[in-house]
Amino acid sequence: MDAPEALREFLMYVVANLIDHPKQASIAVGTTSAGAISYRIQLAPDDVRRVIGKNGFTISAIRSLVNVAAQKHGVKVSLRVDGVREEEETT
């Protein structure tokens, strides 16, 4: 398994265990202009608060975990959390 996919699986495991609607969660993988692997987590609106946490402590801890895992693979990562809009949920 290549580094981006391994990190995506790890990130999905961590996030899925924190949220109430794991079937609505998805992670898009891309690259930034600086060459880092970009992960964009799409969640149900209620789950965004759980992943970000109070004062951003939870997402900060997740970023730290992913950065340590990425260093083992020799890559840099960027992580972003987005909520799914209501109209996107119905389609």
Side-chain angles (χ1 to χ4, degrees):
M1 185 179 301
D2 61 341
E5 183 60 24
L7 292 169
R8 189 190 74 74
E9 289 291 324
F10 173 69
L11 187 57
M12 191 63 188
Y13 174 78
V14 171
V15 169
N17 283 291
L18 293 174
I19 60 177
D20 289 331
H21 306 97
K23 292 185 184 197
Q24 292 181 7
S26 66
I27 300 176
V29 181
T31 55
T32 65
S33 59
I37 301 169
S38 171
Y39 295 97
R40 187 170 159 218
I41 305 170
Q42 295 257 331
L43 301 169
D46 294 342
D47 291 335
V48 172
R49 288 184 298 235
R50 288 180 172 272
V51 172
I52 292 176
K54 190 172 188 176
N55 295 323
F57 288 124
T58 305
I59 193 63
S60 179
I62 293 170
R63 281 190 176 113
S64 294
L65 286 171
V66 171
N67 281 324
V68 169
Q71 286 177 349
K72 288 188 174 199
H73 290 284
V75 296
K76 295 196 182 259
V77 296
S78 168
L79 180 60
R80 181 175 160 190
V81 178
D82 291 330
V84 177
R85 294 188 189 99
E86 291 297 323
E87 63 270 9
E88 289 178 2
E89 288 180 3
T90 59
T91 58

